Amino acid sequence: MEDIVLLGCGGHARSVTDSIEQSGRFHIAGFVDKNMDSNFSYRNHKVIGNDDDLQKIYDSGIHYAFVGIAYLGKGDIRDRLYRKLKEIGYILPIIMDCSAVVAMDAQIEEGVFIGKNAVVNSNAFIGTMAIINTAAIVEHDCQIGRFCHIAVSAVICGGSNIGRNTLIGANSTIIQSVNIGKNCIIGAGSIVRKNIEDNMLFKDGEKMQNLNKR
């Protein structure tokens, strides 16, 4: 069983931890967190360093890593950490909960997390470092861009495309064959029936320019 280090130790990291432990695929060597709280412990896993220690941890023989930090409103946090890990040489596996259902012909890229009871259906594509969270559904022929977060119980209907760095909020529904641009935020509970351009916040049925472009 290979050792793996998790970046971050918040709520999302706990979900990732549970999925890893239930799969039995990796042994969690510990957490890396910028605050370096030596008193933190979760399921007997402790913080073993901060971002500056990643090279040292890699040199010690731990070559697998996973980013346990969720979208946090900006996908570029996960993008930055991904690039740092790849520069060092880390391998970022796909972490898939045992309860998730993924079609045999779905394409899943590295660093993706697929949570409990999530569904990824036939011919779907999930880009690097995307999160398909608890009970989210990505239907057939969908394209989910790099660093996207499909939040809890969101539904992406067949043939829809979600651009890079976009958050689809909890309990949202993207109707079939709709295209959502990059760097968008779709508010929780939204129903999206028409295409949305890049850098847009969609909330309560209305589109408006996202002032926090990334």
Side-chain angles (χ1 to χ4, degrees):
M1 185 184 299
E2 298 280 358
D3 284 342
I4 191 169
V5 64
L6 301 184
L7 277 65
C9 52
H12 184 61
R14 294 185 180 97
S15 295
V16 173
T17 296
D18 188 73
S19 296
I20 289 173
E21 291 187 334
Q22 290 202 48
S23 73
R25 183 180 170 197
F26 294 102
H27 169 261
I28 298 172
F31 298 98
V32 170
D33 189 79
K34 65 180 182 179
N35 296 322
M36 190 61 183
D37 182 0
S38 58
N39 295 318
F40 176 84
S41 178
Y42 179 65
R43 296 188 179 179
N44 296 318
H45 306 305
K46 297 183 180 299
V47 175
I48 61 173
N50 58 34
D51 292 2
D52 294 333
D53 297 314
L54 285 169
Q55 183 67 61
K56 180 175 67 176
I57 292 168
Y58 181 86
D59 292 342
S60 76
I62 300 172
H63 294 164
Y64 285 85
F66 199 83
V67 178
I69 300 169
Y71 186 87
L72 299 177
K74 289 191 175 182
D76 59 0
I77 296 173
R78 290 170 54 80
D79 190 344
R80 175 179 57 80
L81 292 172
Y82 169 76
R83 286 186 280 108
K84 183 177 182 70
L85 290 169
K86 294 297 288 184
E87 286 170 3
I88 293 171
Y90 280 98
I91 301 166
L92 282 80
I94 298 163
I95 301 298
M96 186 185 309
D97 193 84
C98 296
S99 64
V101 179
V102 176
M104 292 177 61
D105 60 350
Q107 298 179 60
I108 315 293
E109 294 196 325
E110 66 179 343
V112 166
F113 177 70
I114 302 178
K116 287 178 170 57
N117 295 315
V119 175
V120 178
N121 221 329
S122 297
N123 201 40
F125 171 84
I126 312 296
T128 299
M129 291 287 290
I131 298 171
I132 311 300
N133 222 332
T134 306
I137 297 174
V138 178
E139 263 299 343
H140 62 87
D141 303 300
C142 288
Q143 302 275 320
I144 307 298
R146 293 160 64 95
F147 306 103
C148 285
H149 185 159
I150 311 303
V152 174
S153 295
V155 177
I156 315 299
C157 293
S160 293
N161 298 310
I162 311 299
R164 175 189 175 107
N165 289 354
T166 284
L167 169 66
I168 306 297
N171 287 303
S172 294
T173 299
I174 310 302
I175 298 300
Q176 62 269 19
S177 302
V178 166
N179 296 318
I180 307 294
K182 64 184 180 181
N183 303 319
C184 291
I185 295 177
I186 306 302
S190 297
I191 299 177
V192 182
R193 297 182 172 87
K194 296 181 180 180
N195 295 345
I196 294 179
E197 301 85 3
D198 296 346
N199 304 307
M200 300 298 286
L201 171 67
F202 183 95
K203 183 179 179 182
D204 298 327
E206 297 181 358
K207 289 191 294 182
M208 60 196 81
Q209 185 71 33
N210 184 352
L211 300 178
N212 295 313
K213 287 185 180 181
R214 287 143 292 164

